[in-house]
Amino acid sequence: MDISSIKVLVVDDDPDIVEILKYNLKNSGYSVKSAGNGVEAIKKAKKFIPDIILMDVMMPEMSGIEACEEIKNIFFLLDIISAVPSPL
């Protein structure tokens, strides 16, 4: 699989973290979109259909856990790999 065909959705309410992740992923050749909260992540996931979602846990409006649960209930998004970092 060509790395440029791998789509990554980065979700975090901290714009600095989003920009750092987007910058590094794009420089590595991935196709990247971002969202600032769980609600926006669900909307973007439906349109972008990412291969991988990197999502923060604690966000306004909807947590990363809630967003992952919603995304997993959308049949055409079942194959997405979600990485939710555990709190330290």
Side-chain angles (χ1 to χ4, degrees), residues 38-52:
V39 174
E40 186 182 353
I42 294 167
K43 291 177 185 175
K44 292 262 177 114
K46 287 179 181 177
K47 291 181 181 179
F48 184 54
I49 309 176
D51 297 296
I52 300 170

Side-chain angles (χ1 to χ4, degrees), residues 3-4 6-10 17-33 52 54:
I3 200 164
S4 65
I6 298 174
K7 298 187 287 186
V8 181
L9 178 60
V10 175
I17 291 173
V18 170
E19 286 308 310
I20 290 168
L21 289 171
K22 280 177 60 176
Y23 175 82
N24 286 304
L25 289 165
K26 284 183 177 184
N27 279 346
S28 295
Y30 295 96
S31 175
V32 183
K33 297 280 184 190
I52 300 170
L54 302 174

Side-chain angles (χ1 to χ4, degrees), residues 45 49-53 71-72 76-82:
I49 309 176
D51 297 296
I52 300 170
I53 299 174
I71 289 168
K72 288 180 180 186
F76 61 89
L77 299 176
L78 289 175
D79 293 334
I80 295 174
I81 300 167
S82 299

